[in-house]
């Protein structure tokens, strides 16, 4: 023993048994990664275990307040850590909820979080683990195996009929044994360190580590009998009393985070409700990787005491990327999780909080464009989700939207307010075009009419953009309008170049095309006409269905749902285009070839509109055209 520390209670000897369980495959993979790839900051295992202990204590406190009968109700709520540098061990004990056998298996023998397997697979395929990737995932309890040779997890659950158990592992498998002796309620983790990590059995080293986080631990924290902290809740403090470094450390401790927060919002309100909230925007959207990763979200407290660590209904769903704490002194402490979602109070909190958060995001956008840009890239998708799903906040969210447009440089975005400020005097709508990329939209036939008139067009490059515009319907009294729509009134004619085909020829060309093309593919060609929107392209297929845009159709198709009717289009010709002049001539001189050319013009127009379902037919036709062209010298 060293440091004159009180001797820890001797570890009870587990009843001998040979039964060792294999870890679930994912746990083994995770351990493999933890042990072999996670070299930095090995001391974080202490933070992870203390924070688990603290969670367990917050849970027991809430159970007691809710009137549950718990085992050893008088046990003092605290975390006690002891070090023994001679033995090379560190022990972390808490008087929290503890675990029963099933919980031991489920919580530290298995990884219950769905998506873990896929995540670990991705790490492997990425050529090994990278610290950030692991950090995003959070290894929690298993981080102890970065330093441990052996871990003995003694525990006694809070349930009256709980057993005294010892879970043990050297990292290759685990055993669970029933103890003959009585354990204190809660958990006691005895870590036997690997030789090269014996530093973590030294009181001074451990004290340094603990002091970094101790002020965020909501219960007394003792090291070798010495009390390290006075319990305080930084969210109840005044903003001016908390430094940026403290916010960041709190984030790491309380939210089990490994990253630096992108931004945080700390606010205290007295009316209409007493609220103290400290909310963090993480640096990354982990949902982007499509794995349902375990995430700590926003926990709900009442005067420092945890009421629910994952309260449903406290915030709208689209704000699930936030982490942190909401504390409301108005909340009854003994409220049960089940009824909470339905209480008028939680609904009121939800409204007040979401309004305040949206206001904060707006402030960020005004204050720091670069930061907002980062936020938008990571979390813009949640804002869009909010517009579609949260009708209460829909209008407040619209100013947060950002798009690239024909006015912005590639990679830069505009807000709807900025778009509105650049409206042409008689502009009737907010125009948008959909495509997979900016380049695809810029090379399509629809933009030119708007460019020629100096009208800005928003580029919808996200699959959800159309959907969002549909839900918004309008912004500042201007309707959203698909720039690929047939019946757009763009007002004046742009400066035209070249002579148009004479009126009579044009009418007969349109009639001829209509009769030649009607049966092409699954598209309904409702009309062939001329207009003044085209400048450089010979023709464009315009959507005549006001409610189902071409991109919406694609979206429905990708979800294996088709819209009721076949897409109907109008083919608009550019009467000044030389190809249209030549096609008109060709009708007289070589009708068969003219037909081929007409079909190809239509196919090109459909392709640009994203409506060509079967491009294979096109290849054969192009060969025919090439052959004809080649034999014409
Ligand atoms: P996380 O804390 O992110 O859920 P961990 O791997 O750290 O992941 O812990 C897994 C689970 O094991 C916890 O969610 C908790 O249910 C349980 N657990 C861990 N430590 C303790 C403890 N000291 N007391 C009670 N339960 C614990």
């Amino acid at each position: 023993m060293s440091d004159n520390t009180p001797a820890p209670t001797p570890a009870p000897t587990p009843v001998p048994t040979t039964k060792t369980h294999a870890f679930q495959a994912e746990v083994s993979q995770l351990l493999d990664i933890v042990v072999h790839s996670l070299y930095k900051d090995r001391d974080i295992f202490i933070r992870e275990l203390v924070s688990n202990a603290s969670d367990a204590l917050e849970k027991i406190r809430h159970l007691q307040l809710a009137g549950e009968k718990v085992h050893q109700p008088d046990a003092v709520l605290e975390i006690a850590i002891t070090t023994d540098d001679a033995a090379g061990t560190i022990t972390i004990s808490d008087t929290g909820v503890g675990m029963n056998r099933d919980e031991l298996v489920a919580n530290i023998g298995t990884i219950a979080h769905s998506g873990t397997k896929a995540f670990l697979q991705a790490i492997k395929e990425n050529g090994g683990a990278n610290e950030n990737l692991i950090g995003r995932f959070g290894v929690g309890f298993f981080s102890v195996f970065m330093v441990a040779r052996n871990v003995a997890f003694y525990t006694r659950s809070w349930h009256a009929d709980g057993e005294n158990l010892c879970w043990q592992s050297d990292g290759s498998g685990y055993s669970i044994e029933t103890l003959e002796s009585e354990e204190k309620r809660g958990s006691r983790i005895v870590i036997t360190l690997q030789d090269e990590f014996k530093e973590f059995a030294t009181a001074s080293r451990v004290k340094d580590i603990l002091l970094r986080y101790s002020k965020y631990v909501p219960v007394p924290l003792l090291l070798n009998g010495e009390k390290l902290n006075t319990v305080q809740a930084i969210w109840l403090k005044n903003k001016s009393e908390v430094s940026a470094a403290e916010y960041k450390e709190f984030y790491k401790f309380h939210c089990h985070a490994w990253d630096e927060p992108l931004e945080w919002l700390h606010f205290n309100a007295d009316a209409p409700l007493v609220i103290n909230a400290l909310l963090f925007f993480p640096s990354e959207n982990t949902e982007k990787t499509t794995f349902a990763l375990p995430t700590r979200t926003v926990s709900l407290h009442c005067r420092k005491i945890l009421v629910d660590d994952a309260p449903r209904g406290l915030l709208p769903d689209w704000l699930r990327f936030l982490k942190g704490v909401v504390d409301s002194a108005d909340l009854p402490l003994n409220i049960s999780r089940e009824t909470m979602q339905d209480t008028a109070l939680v609904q009121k909190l939800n409204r007040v909080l979401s309004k305040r958060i949206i206001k904060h995001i707006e402030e960020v956008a005004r204050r720091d464009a670069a930061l907002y840009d980062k936020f938008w890239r990571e979390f813009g998708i949640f804002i869009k989700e909010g517009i579609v799903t949260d009708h209460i906040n829909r209008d407040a969210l619209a100013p947060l939207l950002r798009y690239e447009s024909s006015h912005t440089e590639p990679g830069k975005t505009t807000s709807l307010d900025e778009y509105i400020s650049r409206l042409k005097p008689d502009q009737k709508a907010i125009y948008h075009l959909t495509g997979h990329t900016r380049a695809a939209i810029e090379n399509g036939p629809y933009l030119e009419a708007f460019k020629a008139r100096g009208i800005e067009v928003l580029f919808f490059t996200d699959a959800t953009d159309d959907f969002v515009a549909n839900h918004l319907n309008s912004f500042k009294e201007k309707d959203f309008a698909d720039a690929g729509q047939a019946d757009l009134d763009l007002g004046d004619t742009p400066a035209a170049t070249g002579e148009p085909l004479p009126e009579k020829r044009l009418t007969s060309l349109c009639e001829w095309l209509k009769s030649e093309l009607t049966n092409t593919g699954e598209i309904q060609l409702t009309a062939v006409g001329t207009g003044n929107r085209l400048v450089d392209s010979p023709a464009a297929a315009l959507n005549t269905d006001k409610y189902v845009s071409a991109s919406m159709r694609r979206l429905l198709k990708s979800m294996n749902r088709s819209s009721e009717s076949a897409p109907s289009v109008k083919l608009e010709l550019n009467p000044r285009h030389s190809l249209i002049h030549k096609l008109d001539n060709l009708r007289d001189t070589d009708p068969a070839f003219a037909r081929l050319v007409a079909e190809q013009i239509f196919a090109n127009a459909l392709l640009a509109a994203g409506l060509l379902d079967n491009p294979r037919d096109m290849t054969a036709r192009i060969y025919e055209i090439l052959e004809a062209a080649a034999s014409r010298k």
Side-chain angles (χ1 to χ4, degrees), residues 30 48-57 59 92-99 103-104 106-111 113 137-143 153-156 186-189 255-256 294-296 309:
L30 181 66
E48 295 288 333
L49 297 190
V50 169
S51 133
N52 279 350
S54 148
D55 292 348
L57 285 159
K59 282 181 199 157
I92 299 175
S93 317
D94 66 69
T95 44
V97 282
M99 284 186 264
E103 286 165 337
L104 276 173
N107 293 336
I108 56 177
T110 326
I111 300 178
H113 312 295
F137 174 68
V139 288
F141 170 76
F142 297 107
S143 62
F153 195 125
Y154 298 91
T155 183
R156 167 65 167 91
S187 305
R188 186 161 56 90
I189 309 172
C255 312
H256 295 237
T295 45
R296 299 278 168 149
D309 57 0

Side-chain angles (χ1 to χ4, degrees), residues 32 72 95 133 425 428 447 468 482 507 521 559 570-571 614:
D32 190 51
Q72 295 178 353
T95 44
L133 214 53
K428 299 186 175 63
L447 192 57
V468 172
D482 182 353
T507 316
M559 300 187 317
K570 173 188 171 190
L571 185 67
N614 192 359

